[in-house]
Amino acid sequence: MTALISVRGLHVAGRRRDGSEVGIVRDVSLEVQRGEMLALIGESGSGKTTIALSLMGYVRPGCRISGGEIEVAGYRVDQMTPDPLRNFRGKTISYVAQNAGSAFNPALTLHRQVIEPALSHWVLPRRDAERRAVDLFRAMALPHPETIGARYPHQLSGGQLQRLMAAMALITEPEVVVFDEPTTALDVTTQIEVLEAFRAVLAERGITGVYVTHDLAVVAQVADRAVVLRNGAVCESGPTSEVLERPHAPYARELVEASRLPVRAMAAAGPVPEPVLTLSDMVVGYGSVDARGLPARRILDGINLSVPRGRILGIIGESGCGKSTLVRTIAGLQASAAGTIRFRGEDLAGAVARRTPDQRRRLQIVAQNADLVLNPAWTVGAILMRVLRFFHGLRGAEARAEALRLLDLVRLPQSVFERRPPELSGGQKQRVNFARALAARPDLVLCDEITAALDPVVAAAILELLADLQATLGLSCIFITHDLHALRAVCDRVAVLLGGHVVEQCDAASLMDGVHHPYSRLLVSSVPEMRPGWLDEVTRQRQVATDAPPPPVAAGGCPFVSRCAMRIEDICDHVPPPVVPGAGGARIACHHPLADLPPLLQADGAA
């Protein structure tokens, strides 16, 4: 059988600042049969995306295809000139990017953008392209497929935008689609919807795919075969089940093991320390205000949380539940409409500008994307010494010595001191991000999705680092995530956020079993398992949900009512649920007595 994609001895080189070249991809050979999905997996910098983009005849600025052959659907891509390549891209092969939010033009309607490839490649006249777009919206299980295209990107969720981007990639009916980490930034429940939509449409149309990812549980659901890459070279390849269940290469085994993150056996022992941070009746929103000064649209509504000194509180929930808004509010970057923040026993002003220098020093943020907060023109040493000078007045040799100590604390070699962020890997940049926060000598660190974009090996190392810092420095943390594995690896306690409400608080170690809020059960059951067939099982279970149409959510009603199979009619939709104490200090906001909630078995959600 002739392969639809054939890569033989591919080499891609990049140019250093001094003009010399370095190999990015080295002697890579692979084949993809028609109708097959191939997964490219490996850590950051392994060459996954570089190889995937080379199938389209594209390399990043400063790089070049320096050797080998690339054949896709009968085209020798490595020999194509610019004009044929423009016709080839988008028509024969199309691309689905990782971040749909930044790929769409915010000033244009989605319908106009989705049909653009069909019009620019002269595949269909406008009227037919519009009809095909609606058919694709329907196939992608998008709400209101006839009218959703009239909306703008900012009006849709991340999962909806990702499916719309797939529709745009499919509208020309290409033979090959490249998926570049399309579900990395999605929460677990949205990820299931997107993966199932992708898989169903590709199977129906017999499209060949290449799926770039570092999430091995996703690989198990979507890929027929997998190629493991390291340092730009293939270290293992074969059927997905064999690569994931019986890896042969040492690095492949390391990658699989890293995907099974360690779990804390129990919550921290001993009495609960006094809180370093307490939030009381926090309300954040926008729009018109009522007589009490409360906004009509609320992102956070009545939040009550506390972080014990020296402990890690995990905040988990779907995209849009208010996690990042919570972090911004605590940091003083987002104004609150009501409620109080007490930090180290004193009230904290809502705006960061009105906080004292000492309060600002003691509360630090480690952002998700280190590239957005580390100045690419400065050396790592200069970045750290700036913080040390600003908060502690350290200069010269004293500042340098402290900066080197911080690098050692986050397990980075001292040689990093003279390097700049663009010269570092994703994991190294995130460690520098940590060191910069620690340079202030804080009491509380806000970690906002710090492992979301990292591969399993690097993510496991960052989580281990966080746990060690907590143990050695007595650091208090709020750990924002949508990854339950990461949460259980480092957190003492967890708060489950939905629609701006805390629906449950419990020990992190108990989250995978026992009695929980129905929404917590949904999150746990949505954690992908690293075995083929898991997605089919979950999809079948969810199709059995409830036959009755969900009631509208009234002000004060349970935020989960529209998806809850156990909802009580005329109560859950408009009566605020009471907070019921559970075992081990758990608190669950639900109208059902805890005895009526079915227990969650460990095997139901543990991967």
Side-chain angles (χ1 to χ4, degrees):
M1 182 183 297
T2 303
L4 189 66
I5 300 174
S6 178
V7 177
R8 296 177 289 275
L10 176 64
H11 289 263
V12 178
R15 188 171 298 278
R16 294 191 178 100
R17 291 183 179 181
D18 61 7
S20 62
E21 285 194 337
V22 59
I24 298 173
V25 172
R26 300 177 289 110
D27 195 26
V28 167
S29 298
L30 55 87
E31 289 188 343
V32 188
Q33 304 300 323
R34 186 176 295 276
E36 188 177 56
M37 178 69 81
L38 176 74
L40 299 178
I41 59 180
E43 62 189 1
S44 301
S46 62
K48 305 185 300 292
T49 297
T50 300
I51 294 169
L53 293 175
S54 72
L55 300 178
M56 306 176 69
Y58 177 83
V59 289
R60 293 187 176 96
C63 302
R64 68 184 183 93
I65 296 174
S66 56
E69 301 176 0
I70 305 171
E71 186 171 338
V72 177
Y75 293 90
R76 273 296 300 275
V77 179
D78 55 295
Q79 296 180 350
M80 294 174 74
T81 54
D83 285 341
L85 269 176
R86 275 192 289 272
N87 193 50
F88 171 74
R89 297 171 185 158
K91 186 176 181 181
T92 302
I93 184 171
S94 57
Y95 179 73
V96 178
Q98 175 177 346
N99 191 340
S102 62
F104 280 109
N105 187 329
L108 301 178
T109 64
L110 290 159
H111 204 92
R112 180 174 172 182
Q113 297 181 69
V114 168
I115 69 172
E116 182 181 357
L119 302 182
S120 61
H121 287 287
W122 302 94
V123 172
L124 291 169
R126 179 176 294 274
R127 189 178 298 275
D128 292 342
E130 290 174 348
R131 279 197 291 265
R132 182 176 292 178
V134 172
D135 289 342
L136 284 167
F137 297 163
R138 190 174 293 110
M140 287 287 174
L142 284 161
H144 313 294
E146 291 81 9
T147 59
I148 193 171
R151 303 172 75 179
Y152 290 86
H154 70 275
Q155 296 175 306
L156 273 67
S157 69
Q160 290 170 340
L161 287 177
Q162 215 60 348
R163 280 177 278 178
L164 281 160
M165 177 170 281
M168 183 164 61
L170 294 169
I171 197 164
T172 58
E173 297 191 339
E175 295 186 68
V176 178
V177 178
V178 174
F179 295 91
D180 191 0
E181 309 230 31
T183 62
T184 295
L186 302 180
D187 61 75
V188 287
T189 55
T190 304
Q191 181 176 251
I192 288 176
E193 298 170 3
V194 172
L195 288 176
E196 180 56 26
F198 284 178
R199 197 175 61 167
V201 173
L202 294 182
E204 178 186 340
R205 288 163 170 76
I207 291 172
T208 304
V210 174
Y211 202 102
V212 176
T213 186
H214 57 242
D215 190 334
L216 302 194
V218 169
V219 170
Q221 311 315 314
V222 302
D224 302 295
R225 295 178 60 253
V227 171
V228 182
L229 297 157
R230 189 180 195 190
N231 298 326
V234 175
C235 72
E236 183 155 352
S237 65
T240 298
S241 57
E242 182 176 330
V243 170
L244 297 184
E245 295 169 13
R246 296 176 297 279
H248 301 293
Y251 173 69
R253 290 197 295 269
E254 180 186 2
L255 199 63
V256 170
E257 287 304 314
S259 296
R260 302 185 177 103
L261 294 173
V263 176
R264 290 192 170 189
M266 60 186 70
V272 178
E274 64 179 10
V276 67
L277 179 83
T278 302
L279 303 182
S280 302
D281 301 319
M282 181 65 62
V283 177
V284 179
Y286 59 94
S288 58
V289 296
D290 59 19
R292 298 174 298 167
L294 299 180
R297 302 295 299 272
R298 300 182 188 179
I299 305 171
L300 299 174
D301 193 359
I303 299 294
N304 293 284
L305 289 173
S306 65
V307 183
R309 188 176 298 277
R311 301 287 172 87
I312 299 180
L313 172 68
I315 308 290
I316 195 162
E318 297 169 324
S319 299
C321 70
K323 301 188 300 294
S324 293
T325 298
L326 180 63
V327 166
R328 291 176 58 80
T329 302
I330 295 171
L333 304 176
Q334 173 80 47
S336 62
T340 59
I341 306 175
R342 286 190 65 79
F343 181 54
R344 301 176 64 251
E346 57 188 24
D347 286 342
L348 203 59
V352 67
R354 294 192 289 114
R355 296 178 182 178
T356 68
D358 190 59
Q359 289 173 333
R360 294 198 295 269
R361 176 185 69 80
R362 292 177 179 274
L363 200 159
Q364 294 290 310
I365 296 181
V366 179
Q368 174 180 346
N369 191 340
D371 288 319
L372 297 180
V373 295
L374 300 179
N375 190 328
W378 286 24
T379 64
V380 169
I383 290 170
L384 297 180
M385 289 196 296
R386 179 180 184 274
V387 180
L388 293 169
R389 182 174 63 252
F390 183 82
F391 283 120
H392 308 295
L394 300 183
R395 298 177 184 274
E398 190 178 12
R400 180 184 177 89
E402 178 63 10
L404 291 173
R405 187 190 72 83
L406 288 167
L407 291 179
D408 184 61
L409 191 63
V410 298
R411 302 178 196 165
L412 284 173
Q414 293 191 357
S415 59
V416 169
F417 185 90
E418 301 294 344
R419 298 170 69 183
R420 290 174 171 80
E423 301 171 34
L424 305 179
S425 70
Q428 288 174 323
K429 283 184 279 194
Q430 200 60 293
R431 289 171 187 268
V432 173
N433 207 3
F434 259 116
R436 192 181 71 150
L438 295 175
R441 299 171 195 164
D443 292 307
L444 177 66
V445 176
L446 309 175
C447 300
D448 189 7
E449 302 271 19
I450 59 173
T451 60
L454 301 179
D455 62 75
V457 174
V458 177
I462 293 294
L463 293 174
E464 183 182 357
L465 171 64
L466 177 59
D468 285 350
L469 291 174
Q470 182 216 9
T472 58
L473 303 179
L475 204 62
S476 305
C477 294
I478 290 181
F479 186 78
I480 303 290
T481 186
H482 59 243
D483 184 342
L484 272 81
H485 291 313
L487 180 141
R488 297 179 71 217
V490 298
C491 295
D492 302 290
R493 198 160 173 82
V494 56
V496 183
L497 205 59
L498 171 65
H501 298 264
V502 176
V503 297
E504 180 170 356
Q505 297 184 56
C506 65
D507 288 335
S510 69
L511 190 59
M512 292 297 204
D513 53 26
V515 174
H516 294 283
H517 190 280
Y519 175 63
S520 304
R521 292 173 55 85
L522 174 66
L523 290 179
V524 171
S525 67
S526 301
V527 177
E529 296 184 23
M530 207 162 53
R531 60 179 177 84
W534 173 86
L535 183 59
D536 295 319
E537 295 173 12
V538 171
T539 302
R540 282 195 298 270
Q541 291 169 5
R542 299 203 174 163
Q543 286 172 345
V544 181
T546 118
D547 296 327
V553 183
C558 175
F560 191 58
V561 63
S562 63
R563 291 186 286 170
C564 185
M566 299 180 64
R567 63 177 177 260
I568 304 171
E569 302 297 336
D570 298 325
I571 294 180
C572 292
D573 54 335
H574 66 273
V575 178
V579 177
V580 182
R587 295 170 60 82
I588 300 174
C590 188
H591 286 289
H592 284 281
L594 297 190
D596 291 350
L597 297 177
L600 179 66
L601 302 178
Q602 182 78 21
D604 291 344

